[in-house]
Amino acid sequence: MDDAQLQSQQRLLIRQRIRLMVNQYEVHTENADGSEGPLLAFAQQKRLAFKEQVTIYADAEKSRPLLAFKARKRIDLASAYDITDASGQPIGVFRKNFKKSLVKSTWHLEQPGLGETTGSERSTFVAVLRRLWNFIPYVENLPFAWPYHFDFTAGDQVVFTVDKKFGFRDRYVVEINDPRLDRRLVIAQAVALDALQSR
């Protein structure tokens, strides 16, 4: 898929695959019937990395890099993550707002020329319930995914949303409302919501 086709996408489906030492993420288009369409991107995250870096590829064979994001600092809960294109040129930044995330996870995504969008969990009740659930012994190892919903806004406009579906594996639906928003940044932020949520 070329850049223009990628940029025209308004709805993405993301699925996590759990492997022994890594987390893998597949990003697909959506078919008219709601099923998964062609693969757009493939990401792999090493667990327990001291300085988080994730490369996202245009294919499952990892032969064509599409973008990457990397933490500026090691083991910093409020670190910014630089997003670069396939040639290593900067295309954006995201960071977690650690203070606000104590109750509702909150992220900031910046795109040059477009400004900042802020994403936070839609429901305070679900946010608190998810946190309490994690304190129950042994449940963190269960293959169960609590749903959550993020709205990314600029002013009073919803720019894009990320909805995590209820189920035994992590699945997300991403809706993009702003045609100016770089889809590569949306993919990076959506993957980070899962990969970095507990950081």
Side-chain angles (χ1 to χ4, degrees):
M1 182 174 291
D2 62 27
D3 292 344
Q5 289 175 309
L6 175 61
Q7 191 62 24
S8 70
Q9 300 302 312
Q10 294 180 301
R11 192 171 166 96
L12 307 174
L13 305 179
I14 301 177
R15 179 161 38 99
Q16 181 191 31
R17 292 186 179 278
I18 299 174
R19 298 292 184 258
L20 184 60
M21 295 301 294
V22 297
N23 294 325
Q24 295 178 338
Y25 300 89
E26 294 179 359
V27 183
H28 293 262
T29 62
E30 185 183 50
N31 292 322
D33 64 357
S35 62
E36 288 181 355
L39 182 72
L40 285 175
F42 176 84
Q44 185 166 290
Q45 174 212 23
K46 290 182 180 179
R47 294 181 192 157
L48 304 176
F50 287 106
K51 188 171 184 180
E52 195 65 58
Q53 180 172 354
V54 175
T55 301
I56 299 175
Y57 300 88
D59 60 327
E61 292 73 33
K62 299 187 289 186
S63 66
R64 291 187 298 129
L66 181 64
L67 65 130
F69 62 82
K70 182 178 182 179
R72 291 180 181 172
K73 299 177 182 178
R74 292 180 178 218
I75 315 178
D76 183 349
L77 296 175
S79 178
Y81 291 78
D82 293 304
I83 309 168
T84 54
D85 65 13
S87 62
Q89 296 302 306
I91 57 174
V93 176
F94 67 78
R95 60 186 169 81
K96 190 171 188 178
N97 187 320
F98 180 70
K99 186 176 179 180
K100 288 187 177 180
S101 294
L102 293 174
V103 177
K104 286 172 47 172
S105 294
T106 301
W107 295 79
H108 303 285
L109 174 66
E110 298 176 31
Q111 177 176 326
L114 190 59
E116 181 179 278
T117 64
T118 299
S120 61
E121 292 182 80
R122 190 179 302 159
S123 170
T124 302
F125 174 76
V126 172
V128 171
L129 189 62
R130 285 197 312 108
R131 284 155 176 75
L132 292 175
W133 177 261
N134 289 333
F135 283 108
I136 301 174
Y138 309 111
V139 300
E140 63 183 24
N141 297 320
L142 295 176
F144 173 78
W146 273 104
Y148 58 67
H149 312 281
F150 276 83
D151 293 320
F152 281 80
T153 59
D156 59 354
Q157 299 296 315
V158 177
V159 177
F160 71 99
T161 62
V162 180
D163 289 340
K164 183 177 183 180
K165 299 301 182 182
F166 184 88
F168 289 98
R169 288 288 178 258
D170 292 348
R171 295 181 305 112
Y172 301 84
V173 176
V174 180
E175 295 268 7
I176 306 166
N177 301 322
D178 191 332
R180 302 170 299 167
L181 190 61
D182 190 328
R183 280 17 181 196
R184 296 170 299 176
L185 302 186
V186 175
I187 290 171
Q189 180 69 83
V191 168
L193 287 180
D194 186 282
L196 307 177
Q197 186 68 286
S198 61
R199 299 295 175 96

